[in-house]
Structure formats: structure tokens, C-alpha cells
Amino acid sequence: QVQLVESGGGLVQAGGSLRLSCAASGRTFSNYAMAWFRQTPGKEREFVARISWIADTTDYADSVKGRFTISRDSANTVYLQMSVLKREDTAVYYCAAGGAVGIRLWRLEGGYDYWGQGTQVTVSS
């Protein structure tokens, strides 16, 4: 059974940092891209960052570029280092994994096969 389990969320003041982790199990993800999305109430899930399976390609939403860093230290673990957090970064953050797809799907939910349950990040002013 495939599982993606996020951790590291919490409450942080604006300007602070958090590191999210995602542990994947149930299969080998070495040839899968991993990504982070986030969602706030009443809004659609939005793309945050993506890292390719050999970790040589990363992609970021404009809203987080320069502040967030996605990385992976093994085939089945991915991280999201979040710095200079803003109130608008408050959301539930989801980890996702997907096989090879065209670049047009990199930032879309449909480009990913597996999803975690999410971890809440709250940024206070």
C-alpha cells in the first residue's frame, strides 16, 4: 500500500522558517517526481514546488521562489524548506508523487498519482 506521510507543519511567526518532510512508502519512488501543493479553505489546491526523480530539476511557483527550497535525500523522502514565511503561506501542505509526465502537467494535480493527507502550516503576524 502506497503511503505519503507529511510532517513538520505547525505555527510560526511571519518571517520565520519551517521544514516539511514527506516520507513515501509502499513502492520505489526513485523514478518518480515529488512535489508539494497547498490549499486554503474555499480555494483550489495550488502548486508550490516540484523536484525530478534524479533531483536535477526543480520548479517553483512564483509566489515561493527564492523563499522555499525543495530537496530529496533518498528515493523516498522529500523536504520543503520554507523561509521568510508570510501570512499568505498559511495552508494545508500536501506531498505528491508522480511518474514521468509532460511539462504541462508538472504544476497540475493531474500530473501526480499519489497524495499525502496534508500538514497544516499557519503563519501568524
Side-chain angles (χ1 to χ4, degrees):
Q1 181 180 358
V2 174
Q3 277 193 313
L4 302 180
V5 179
E6 302 96 337
S7 61
L11 175 65
V12 62
Q13 286 191 329
S17 300
L18 275 178
R19 189 175 82 154
L20 305 183
S21 300
C22 173
S25 63
R27 64 160 295 150
T28 299
F29 286 88
S30 57
N31 59 342
Y32 271 55
M34 305 289 286
W36 290 94
F37 285 71
R38 66 187 182 186
Q39 188 172 25
T40 54
K43 293 188 177 181
E44 294 185 354
R45 198 171 296 187
E46 67 170 354
F47 169 80
V48 175
R50 177 187 186 276
I51 188 166
S52 65
W53 68 277
I54 55 174
D56 69 337
T57 303
T58 56
D59 184 31
Y60 296 92
D62 289 344
S63 60
V64 306
K65 196 172 294 183
R67 300 187 298 119
F68 290 11
T69 302
I70 189 171
S71 63
R72 62 196 302 175
D73 64 358
S74 70
N76 286 20
T77 306
V78 65
Y79 303 96
L80 185 68
Q81 178 67 47
M82 305 185 294
S83 302
V84 194
L85 283 161
K86 305 175 181 180
R87 287 193 67 184
E88 51 264 43
D89 294 319
T90 295
V92 177
Y93 284 70
Y94 296 91
C95 175
V101 296
I103 191 171
R104 288 181 297 176
L105 290 177
W106 284 11
R107 298 187 174 196
L108 301 179
E109 291 184 68
Y112 299 88
D113 304 308
Y114 304 105
W115 292 85
Q117 293 300 306
T119 184
Q120 175 71 45
V121 172
T122 303
V123 183
S124 64
S125 59

